[in-house]
Amino acid sequence: MNTQTRELNIDWIPASGFQLRKAGVQFDAVRIEGDAGRRVAEALEEMTGGDPGPIVAEVRGARAVYFLVRAGSTGYRAWPRGVTVLNSGPNRVSYIPVPALSGGTWPLVWWCPPSSAGRRVHLGLLAGTADAVLGEGSAESESSPV
């Protein structure tokens, strides 16, 4: 784990366990389940020299990967099938699971912890990588509130 991250005071990261954070406040998220999400995370790590921005992964169940992006940035983009957009707006509220930096956070872990308070996954890189991994051509965004 990045020891520099432990020294940051990031108020949206819980001190222990995990908590749900309302999308659209500190960040939105893009959720991709299973091996596809892991392939996207690995590709982003490689493209960014190991610092793609904050990425959370589930270790069981759907094994989803959550890519934390700038708040308000996900709404008007076409995403390939298999992507769930977590954001908030009129008549819509989504929540994003965020684990503590250490300790008992099961079933969540940081794939890549935040390296600074304002750092987010680059939406353009994420969208291009998701298109490449999941297949291009779907103009529909599969999004559902959590």
Side-chain angles (χ1 to χ4, degrees):
M1 176 178 285
N2 183 348
T3 55
Q4 176 186 5
T5 303
R6 290 177 189 243
E7 297 169 11
L8 292 175
N9 182 14
I10 302 175
D11 61 357
W12 50 265
I13 297 177
S16 63
F18 67 89
Q19 293 181 348
L20 296 176
R21 299 292 187 210
K22 183 179 176 187
V25 177
Q26 297 288 343
F27 43 79
D28 286 352
V30 172
R31 180 180 193 254
I32 304 173
E33 291 185 1
D35 291 337
R38 283 155 167 68
R39 287 194 307 272
V40 171
E42 288 168 355
L44 288 174
E45 269 189 296
E46 187 175 319
M47 286 188 282
T48 61
D51 186 16
I55 301 173
V56 174
E58 294 176 349
V59 296
R60 68 173 198 83
R63 295 175 17 116
V65 179
Y66 298 83
F67 302 87
L68 306 186
V69 298
R70 188 175 51 80
S73 66
T74 58
Y76 299 101
R77 179 179 287 273
W79 292 95
R81 223 179 252 306
V83 169
T84 302
V85 175
L86 301 171
N87 56 25
S88 295
N91 302 315
R92 174 187 178 81
V93 177
S94 298
Y95 292 91
I96 303 160
V98 177
L101 292 173
S102 62
T105 64
W106 189 86
L108 300 171
V109 296
W110 282 104
W111 184 284
C112 292
S115 57
S116 66
R119 178 90 164 116
R120 302 292 182 266
V121 173
H122 187 280
L123 192 68
L125 283 178
L126 174 58
T129 304
D131 281 341
V133 169
L134 296 168
E136 299 201 29
S138 175
E140 295 178 30
S141 172
E142 290 192 21
S143 54
S144 59
V146 171

